[in-house]
Amino acid sequence: MTPYRIAIVGSGPAGLSAAAHAARLGLSHVLLEKTDHLSDTIYKYQKGKHVMATPSQLVLRSPLDFDAGKRETVLGTWNDQTAAAGVNVKYLAEVTSISGTGDPIPGSVMKIVTRKRDGTTETKEIQRLAPPYRLTLANGEAILADTVILAIGTQGNPNLMTCPGGDSGHVQYQLDDPTEYADEQIFVIGGGDAGIENALGLAADPAQNNKVTIVNRSAEFAQAKDANVKALMAARDAGRVSIMTETTTRSIEPGWITLDTAEGEVRSACDRVIARMGSAPPRGFVEQCGVAFASSDRLAFPKLSATFESTAPGIFVVGALAGYPLIKHCMNQGHDVVEFINGNLDLKPADEPILEAKFAGLPDGPQGSRSVADWLEYLRTSVSILSGMSSLQMREFMLDSTVRQYRAGELVFERNAPGSSLFGIAQGEVLVEVNPADPSITVPLRAGTIFGEVGLISGRRRGATIRAGTDCILIEISRNAALKLMSQVPSAAREITRITTTRSLLQIFKSGLAATDLEEVIAAAKVETIRAGQAIIKEGETGDDIFIIRSGSMVVEKRIGGKPVFLSYVPAGSYVGEMAVIDGKPRTATVRAAVKADVIRIPGEPFRALLAARPQLLDNLRAEMASRTAMNNFIESRKDSFSGVVDLYTGVANFLVEQGVGEATDVLLIDEKLCVGCDNCEKACADTHDGLSRLDREAGRTYAHLHVPTSCRHCEHPHCMADCPPNAIHRGPTGEVYIDETCIGCGNCQRGCPYGVIRMDKVPPKKPWLLGWFLFGKGPGPGEPSPKWARKADPAYAEKARKAIKCDMCAGQEGGPACVRACPTGAAIRVSPEQFLGVALMGREER
């Protein structure tokens, strides 16, 4: 049997392109496809799906044409051109194994470590053999080839639902024809391109009468293309699709689905679940071929050289299996790998000119000028969060990132500057100015680490000024690129979590701790997401875990007289659970999530070792514990004489949590015992904002004597920020969430706010000074509505587009929020979550 020069496994975009180029070069080849048609992944796209040809700036090298268009058009073009090129295709040819037929390669025993679903690992040894290779098909036929190109993709190995009921009959992982479904309540799980496109297809025709909901575990659609996200938002605005973000599936049962949302558990009728949660490389088959992976992570990709050759000599990997899933990239790889096999080792990738331009301004290394490949490898190995990426992933990653040199003393960013990008230090060090009053007090961050993670995670403005301490090279990673990196590269997500956890603990516990003191604690720590209402500590149970509240908030309750009594509120940046570590006794209270929260769980054993090594930390914790114990004892001792007060206190506190205090940073409250209904608060708000009040005093809910009017809570993780196309919503230096002039009036923030505090209105012209009104009648008078004078001042006012209007806490105004300053009785107050318990019984003792 004469070996083929090239055997290509898989006829997706990469495999088809490789086969067509091999045919054009006259190379002996065979294209093996396990189905009876070409490009099975795209063939399985839903009917009528629009296939995108991104990135637009990348040239196409493949002999096959590819332009954006409908699935049917793309497949038709490829079928015709494949036949015209004389490609040797073998259909219904599923490859079950690939083995070398030559002599063993000396010293080439490979250990393969496989991680199972139950967390255990299995180690096997494989002896690599020299080419040619024998490819065994499912029907028993054997094919010999000098080289093998694996272009099998990952779609045949989808990520499965693991919740109870995830294996039920109405869960599916593929959508062939969205027109087949009508009058159904359908939940699409997954916010990537496939999930969005499925949701849009199912909701495209109103006559089908489907009720379609897409569920995304994060607040943003970071893995999807911009065009798909915009189309999804347009469908949502038109009422065709519902979107649930920060939501996961708890369970599935016939006719129903139960979800965990940021506000708590939701149970909904459900006829069908379409799970599009991504896929993983078919690791077992690939490893049996002698190909090693970059790590033991399930989502890791094979180790490849710059020419796509794997650790098995003569076996090449291209396409999605190589970690580069965009169609145009895959087609270029198919072309390039055949060029490499044919001896053209000088060929540069199609994205080389783009990356060359990114690296052009960087200094040469000690060995002289670095090539693009050299720079990519240097950056990958120099920045800890990038170490788990393949060379191909690095190329795609750098297309969305920038890298530049900063000179010693040069400003990277200033405290309170807007920005949500992440920075990696590849070379040199930067200095963090920790004291705004004294810039000379700095903390160095050295090569390998990251900074800017606060803006990435929370969307807040920069928390410190950072300058280059020495000449340094920094990678600036856009927010979308960083989120994509964390979702696609598990080692990057773990490293970012490790760094942010270490910094959180140092900031919370202080006590002279250094990062080295926390190594064992961090190694044992786990980040967990807690749904609203879920308890992390239960009264009376044993346990010694400590919890750091990373985001969201907790409430602490104790059962007294058979009823849960509200003890305290625990905001992000705090900790609970230390009492059991110190005294070893059962838990004295229950701690539950006020809203969906992320916590860092630290086991008691390594934390006790830390306390033994750092007595000052133990003293600080004992002092904290003493204050909490005193509060418990006080309430327990007064439970009979003050039962009414305790009931009121608990009721008001729970009411405030329900009204959003649990995720707020600043809330306007009105004591109705003091409020006289003068509306000075609304009028002052209007005067401060060119005639448009951001406050509705009468709206909102009341409990006992406390009223929560319709006014922005300035949430810790603002819902309005999650979907602002022009990124016009920011957090200011004093915590206020505000909307800038780039607002396009799309209304996404208004729809996303669960508290109804954003409205769409026309922005009036700037109001003249009060003296101008007094002397010349310009502008509205104090408290006078704005539309009438605005139409006079600006003839085009009636034609102006509406924009989003909300409270900005009168940022920049001397004396603070105008609503509070204008209240004649002191009824209006603004409080932070840490203060709100102090007003739960506001005025009770005096009256």
Side-chain angles (χ1 to χ4, degrees), residues 113-123 296 298 526:
V113 180
T114 303
R115 178 178 292 175
K116 299 180 180 179
R117 284 188 178 271
D118 62 4
T120 62
T121 58
E122 181 181 59
T123 302
S296 61
R298 181 173 180 267
K526 293 182 179 179

Side-chain angles (χ1 to χ4, degrees), residues 72-95:
E72 291 77 7
T73 302
V74 172
L75 289 174
T77 298
W78 288 353
N79 286 334
D80 293 343
Q81 292 184 349
T82 299
V87 172
N88 180 27
V89 185
K90 193 174 186 65
Y91 294 104
L92 302 175
E94 181 179 1
V95 179

